[in-house]
Amino acid sequence: MRKLELKINDKDYQLQMTRDSIKWLEANGFSVEDFNKKPITYFDLLWASLFMANHKDVNPNLALKLMDTYEKSGKKVANIVKFAIEEYQAFMNALSDTSSTENDEELKIIEI
């Protein structure tokens, strides 16, 4: 997975999508397929989820304040959320990659 580096309020942040942040997103109702039904809610969730891996001190409320600060500085929050969606989809694609021959192993399946 990739990391994205941002500077907000003179502090460096490394944003990243991980298995745990994806589990948190899903526990909070996130679904890529439903993004258009709840765009603001999911936009905020995606932004907040990126802080979880490397910035445990940033809770969702603080993440949203950082988003406002980032936006007020003239930067595009949508680019960060786009990164989050790309990382989420890359993770899902990797999970469902059944055509990969890398680390191919024999599975012994026993029918009951």
Side-chain angles (χ1 to χ4, degrees):
M1 306 299 293
R2 303 177 302 166
K3 290 182 183 179
L4 179 66
E5 292 184 355
L6 293 183
K7 185 179 282 278
I8 304 172
N9 292 334
D10 294 323
K11 183 173 179 181
D12 294 322
Y13 293 94
Q14 283 192 346
L15 306 185
Q16 181 179 12
M17 185 68 66
T18 64
R19 184 181 198 94
D20 286 339
S21 54
I22 289 172
K23 288 166 80 173
W24 179 82
L25 279 169
E26 292 173 349
N28 282 284
F30 177 77
S31 166
V32 166
E33 295 80 20
D34 291 339
F35 189 85
N36 290 331
K37 292 180 185 175
K38 298 180 181 179
I40 300 301
T41 299
Y42 288 165
F43 194 90
D44 291 354
L45 283 174
L46 284 162
W47 172 272
S49 71
L50 291 171
F51 288 87
M52 300 180 89
N54 301 310
H55 303 283
K56 304 285 186 215
D57 58 321
V58 177
N59 63 40
N61 289 332
L62 178 55
L64 293 178
K65 289 179 184 175
L66 291 170
M67 180 173 67
D68 289 340
T69 300
Y70 187 76
E71 189 171 42
K72 287 176 184 173
S73 73
K75 307 253 172 79
K76 294 189 180 206
V77 174
N79 290 336
I80 309 308
V81 172
K82 180 182 176 194
F83 169 81
I85 291 171
E86 289 169 356
E87 290 301 291
Y88 179 90
Q89 290 175 322
F91 194 88
M92 293 303 120
N93 289 339
L95 282 178
S96 64
D97 184 12
T98 57
S99 63
S100 176
T101 57
E102 195 172 309
N103 293 326
D104 204 11
E105 62 184 62
E106 287 291 322
L107 298 176
K108 185 175 180 179
I109 299 172
I110 303 170
E111 291 190 33
I112 300 177

